[in-house]
Amino acid sequence: MRLTTVKKIKFTKVTLISILNLPAKWAAVLSITILLASSCTDPSEIGLELDPENNQLGVFYTEIPLSASMVLLDSFNTTNANVLMAGGDISPFFGTTEAIGFSRVNFVPYNRDIPAAARPNATSVLDSARFQFTITNQMTANSFAENKTLSVHRLLEPIQDITYYNSDKLAYDENPIAVGSYRLNAGRDTIVSAPLNETIANDFFNRLKSNDPIFRDLFAFREYFPGIAIKGRVEEQAGLPVNVMNTGMVLYYRNEGDTVSRRFLISTAESRSFNHINNNRTGTPLEIVQEPRTAYDVGNLVGLKANTGLVMKINTAPLQSFMDTLQNVVFNQVILEMGPVEALSEGFMPFDFLYMFYSINNTGMFSNPDYRRVERDPRQGQVNPEPARLSYLEDTRLYRQSITSYTNNLYRSGQENYNLIIHPDDPDLPVEVNLNISSVQTVDTRRLTSQQRPNLDYKESLRQLIVDQNTIKLKLYYSKIK
């Protein structure tokens, strides 16, 4: 274990006597002021020991370095993850990651308001047909200076009514029905489109005009057209999340007497979908990470990458060892800090928050009831527990969060001090929803309210972070109780 540093805030005997000689009200105010000012002091400036005979206000500081390892989670559920992940990237640390989104398509959602008389009929004319992509602002790329490509492929097998995981994949036609190349901007929602294959477009439109049975029955439609796969090009180094809402085929047509085109959409909205993610770590420091739920020492650098199952595990044994040396103390403030994180290209936004979990069966698997979330320090008026989220500080590239209550509870209860899994998402939802990161249950999160819907940074992007584990530390201010 690396050594810790213990320092004491300086209060002289004169200071204490002066406080004691003040009226009670002002003595209390001054005491609190001194304590608060001291707690904000740079730790390197916190110095001398208190007078042994007047050690009533002793506030001590210690800094505990922590180590970290890498863990591969079990295969996780990607069914109906709100986006169709496409593309990928190549990283010297994380390896080569490829993402392919699979989805059924549906002709119902955006066509409900078209009157029967306005639908395509025997005399209708097809003006044009395109495939529209709605790309979310969670896209990642080594650089956005070059175009990024998206292609759409017809499935050769149906999507079943089962749970699909990140390792699952379906067969598709290698010849695309639409392909486009686009100059994108980081951090923006973007709608782009590509010409739809003429044969596919005419086939669908002619069937619409003749009121073919596939457009009267959704199950017949799925049997005729099982769905699509959306791909990117890994060598273009871009992870492109395509929103399942407002994405799909758009047929522009005119009926007799129309002066402008109408639209008929065959989209991925309200359709079953999932994402296949392949992460090849050969030749990287993470090549040794093979078995799920096993902690691996991969060297000084550790990190996490969305949609791959790769997360960090922080070893908190040094905290337990330190608490074992203490008697009758209370922790005034405990801060977990890590960073600065490794600099990323402009196309990789850092995670705004990171959640801390401990697994009561020590497997690192997040499925109820095996995980526990570290809760934040209570606030005035707070009703329900809130997560203690490591917050990203852009100016310093640090992640930091106070875990004072959590540490005091550990110390007072004497319970086992579990290692912490660091993860970008919070799987907690109301009990009736019961959606967990590794849950085998499927919940269509698009139907949840904003309060119910979880953060899904881990499933809706290929974002990542890397940090030197030597920068992970606990900063503790504590007082002895006599």
Side-chain angles (χ1 to χ4, degrees):
M1 182 182 77
R2 285 174 283 181
L3 295 176
T4 63
T5 58
V6 180
K7 300 178 182 179
K8 298 183 180 180
I9 297 176
K10 180 169 64 178
F11 291 98
T12 65
K13 182 182 293 186
V14 173
T15 303
L16 293 175
I17 292 174
S18 298
I19 293 174
L20 294 175
N21 287 334
L22 287 171
K25 175 181 178 181
W26 291 106
V29 171
L30 183 56
S31 300
I32 293 171
T33 302
I34 292 174
L35 282 173
L36 290 175
S38 301
S39 67
C40 297
T41 304
D42 187 296
S44 63
E45 298 176 359
I46 297 174
L48 301 177
E49 193 171 321
L50 297 174
D51 186 313
E53 297 178 3
N54 291 281
N55 193 7
Q56 302 297 318
L57 299 176
V59 178
F60 300 82
Y61 172 82
T62 187
E63 191 171 289
I64 303 177
L66 303 176
S67 61
S69 53
M70 294 289 294
V71 173
L72 178 66
L73 301 180
D74 276 345
S75 294
F76 53 89
N77 177 5
T78 65
T79 313
N80 296 344
N82 297 307
V83 301
L84 301 172
M85 282 302 310
D89 52 56
I90 304 169
S91 161
F93 185 73
F94 292 106
T96 300
T97 304
E98 180 184 24
I100 305 174
F102 296 88
S103 181
R104 294 169 176 166
V105 289
N106 188 345
F107 62 86
V108 175
Y110 293 106
N111 303 307
R112 293 187 178 104
D113 296 332
I114 301 178
R119 291 171 69 93
N121 56 52
T123 62
S124 299
V125 176
L126 179 65
D127 286 336
S128 64
R130 302 190 68 82
F131 194 97
Q132 177 175 287
F133 305 92
T134 302
I135 305 172
T136 79
N137 60 15
Q138 299 295 307
M139 70 182 94
T140 56
N142 279 9
S143 170
F144 284 106
E146 302 83 23
N147 284 7
K148 309 303 178 187
T149 304
L150 284 169
S151 60
V152 184
H153 304 257
R154 182 174 183 161
L155 291 185
L156 299 178
E157 57 181 311
I159 294 177
Q160 306 291 342
D161 291 328
I162 60 174
T163 298
Y164 286 93
Y165 292 83
N166 57 310
S167 56
D168 292 325
K169 187 178 181 180
L170 297 178
Y172 55 86
D173 189 338
E174 292 291 345
N175 297 310
I177 63 173
V179 58
S181 185
Y182 314 100
R183 184 66 61 88
L184 303 171
N185 294 309
R188 293 185 186 178
D189 291 340
T190 306
I191 298 178
V192 294
S193 66
L196 184 64
N197 176 274
E198 187 176 347
T199 301
I200 293 286
N202 285 327
D203 178 65
F204 277 141
F205 191 67
N206 289 332
R207 290 174 181 275
L208 269 171
K209 290 168 59 174
S210 63
N211 198 24
D212 190 283
I214 72 165
F215 282 107
R216 297 200 299 264
D217 183 283
L218 187 57
F219 295 101
F221 179 83
R222 289 175 184 166
E223 187 174 345
Y224 174 74
F225 193 86
I228 59 172
I230 296 183
K231 298 180 59 178
R233 294 177 180 171
V234 175
E235 62 272 17
E236 292 179 352
Q237 299 264 53
L240 304 175
V242 178
N243 195 316
V244 294
M245 304 300 289
N246 207 27
T247 288
M249 294 173 268
V250 187
L251 305 179
Y252 296 92
Y253 67 97
R254 281 179 295 112
N255 292 330
E256 190 174 353
D258 286 343
T259 57
V260 295
S261 289
R262 301 179 184 272
R263 297 193 313 163
F264 190 92
L265 276 70
I266 304 171
S267 77
T268 55
E270 299 184 18
S271 299
R272 196 170 192 79
S273 63
F274 73 95
N275 291 316
H276 167 76
I277 311 293
N278 180 40
N279 177 236
N280 184 352
R281 298 179 290 279
T282 302
T284 74
L286 306 186
E287 184 174 10
I288 62 172
V289 180
Q290 297 292 331
E291 296 297 323
R293 296 169 289 165
T294 302
Y296 290 88
D297 181 357
V298 297
N300 285 344
L301 296 181
V302 292
L304 56 87
K305 186 170 180 65
N307 260 312
T308 63
L310 294 167
V311 295
M312 297 166 50
K313 187 174 188 178
I314 295 180
N315 176 15
T316 59
L319 171 62
Q320 185 65 58
S321 298
F322 176 70
M323 290 194 297
D324 290 343
T325 68
L326 302 176
Q327 289 185 337
N328 300 323
V329 304
V330 61
F331 292 98
N332 309 108
Q333 187 173 39
V334 180
I335 298 171
L336 177 60
E337 180 180 287
M338 66 180 190
V341 299
E342 298 289 303
L344 295 171
S345 64
E346 179 188 359
F348 277 90
M349 298 178 293
F351 297 102
D352 293 330
F353 302 103
L354 299 173
Y355 294 81
M356 295 170 278
F357 301 91
Y358 55 97
S359 176
I360 62 174
N361 59 13
N362 285 321
T363 65
M365 180 178 179
F366 292 126
S367 57
N368 243 352
D370 293 334
Y371 79 90
R372 295 289 187 273
R373 184 183 68 185
V374 177
E375 308 292 357
R376 67 171 295 165
D377 300 339
R379 296 181 297 175
Q380 185 175 5
Q382 179 179 320
V383 178
N384 299 316
E386 297 177 0
R389 304 186 299 182
L390 288 162
S391 300
Y392 181 70
L393 308 176
E394 190 171 359
D395 55 339
T396 59
R397 304 207 318 274
L398 294 174
Y399 280 95
R400 180 183 295 154
Q401 180 56 266
S402 171
I403 54 171
T404 308
S405 294
Y406 173 74
T407 307
N408 273 315
N409 288 338
L410 280 179
Y411 179 71
R412 288 194 299 265
S413 66
Q415 73 181 57
E416 183 178 350
N417 180 32
Y418 299 102
N419 295 327
L420 299 178
I421 295 287
I422 306 300
H423 199 289
D425 290 330
D426 180 6
D428 274 1
L429 283 174
V431 174
E432 64 270 20
V433 178
N434 194 29
L435 175 67
N436 297 299
I437 291 173
S438 294
S439 173
V440 297
Q441 296 184 346
T442 299
V443 175
D444 187 349
T445 55
R446 293 164 296 188
R447 298 183 181 276
L448 302 179
T449 66
S450 59
Q451 288 75 26
Q452 291 174 317
R453 187 183 181 281
N455 298 313
L456 289 174
D457 284 342
Y458 199 76
K459 294 183 180 181
E460 296 187 356
S461 74
L462 291 182
R463 294 164 74 177
Q464 64 187 45
L465 72 84
I466 301 172
V467 65
D468 189 325
Q469 65 166 311
N470 294 314
T471 67
I472 304 173
K473 65 189 73 172
L474 280 171
K475 296 181 176 181
L476 301 95
Y477 298 86
Y478 62 98
S479 301
K480 290 187 177 180
I481 304 171
K482 284 193 174 182

